[in-house]
Amino acid sequence: MAEAYLSASGFSDAELRKIKAWGAPEAVRYGGKFDPDVETRVKPVMSWLADIGLTTLQVRCVVSKCPMVFQVSLQQIVQPAVKWLKHLGMDDGQVAKLLASFPGVLTRSVERTLEPKVKWLKGFGLDDQQVAKIYASFPQLLSYSIEEKLKPTSQWLKELG
């Protein structure tokens, strides 16, 4: 059981409650329960996060804020997202900080979600390093819809002068 493993790994009762609270509504999407397999999902993800330089506290933060990290493919979604952040020019410390504050990036597809936002920002004349700096400072930007949030906001700013 994932909860027992997480508890033994040092997760507090409050963190476990957050994970379970997320899991209840999401359970319907994942076959009626949210209890990821410890050996094939939980351990590999937690180990990999530690291997890329996240502290124990940062790993707990990532998991408690975004339990979905156990539901997506480590090799096809999670690892490519981090590789993509580093390709933009973020160093290990920036990546760890970003993941701890906005772990949802680990569940986003590079091709469908992350890369289009970079292309959109580059349309303003920014380079990879500048985009990386923006994401490091404001990681929630990665979750915003270009059409529903970013374009209207940029248009509003243009109108302000």
Side-chain angles (χ1 to χ4, degrees):
M1 175 176 221
E3 184 178 351
Y5 178 79
L6 294 173
S7 180
S9 296
F11 281 73
S12 68
D13 289 341
E15 290 168 327
L16 292 172
R17 279 193 299 275
K18 282 174 74 174
I19 293 167
K20 284 194 273 187
W22 177 88
E26 291 298 310
V28 174
R29 294 172 65 189
Y30 297 105
K33 66 177 183 168
F34 176 74
D35 191 18
D37 183 75
V38 171
E39 296 301 321
T40 62
R41 295 289 184 161
V42 178
K43 284 183 181 179
V45 168
M46 290 179 59
S47 174
W48 184 79
L49 290 170
D51 289 347
I52 65 166
L54 274 70
T55 66
T56 302
L57 181 61
Q58 288 171 323
V59 171
R60 287 186 6 225
C61 192
V62 167
V63 170
S64 63
K65 286 182 179 178
C66 187
M68 188 175 171
V69 73
F70 295 137
Q71 296 298 120
V72 296
S73 169
L74 180 61
Q75 293 80 18
Q76 294 177 355
I77 302 291
V78 177
Q79 290 172 339
V82 170
K83 182 179 179 183
W84 178 80
L85 291 169
K86 289 183 176 185
H87 175 74
L88 279 179
M90 288 189 185
D91 62 34
D92 291 342
Q94 289 173 312
V95 169
K97 185 177 175 183
L98 182 144
L99 295 180
S101 66
F102 186 68
V105 71
L106 293 173
T107 64
R108 306 271 195 302
S109 164
V110 170
E111 297 81 20
R112 289 191 315 266
T113 307
L114 303 176
E115 193 58 41
K117 289 179 181 75
V118 169
K119 288 180 184 174
W120 186 78
L121 287 170
K122 284 183 174 181
F124 292 98
L126 302 174
D127 61 26
D128 281 349
Q129 188 175 11
Q130 291 168 317
V131 171
K133 188 173 182 178
I134 289 170
Y135 286 151
S137 300
F138 191 64
Q140 294 82 356
L141 187 67
L142 291 164
S143 69
Y144 293 167
S145 164
I146 292 172
E147 295 298 323
E148 295 175 23
K149 182 76 172 177
L150 298 177
K151 281 185 180 179
T153 301
S154 69
Q155 183 61 38
W156 176 74
L157 290 170
K158 285 179 188 176
E159 290 169 5
L160 288 177

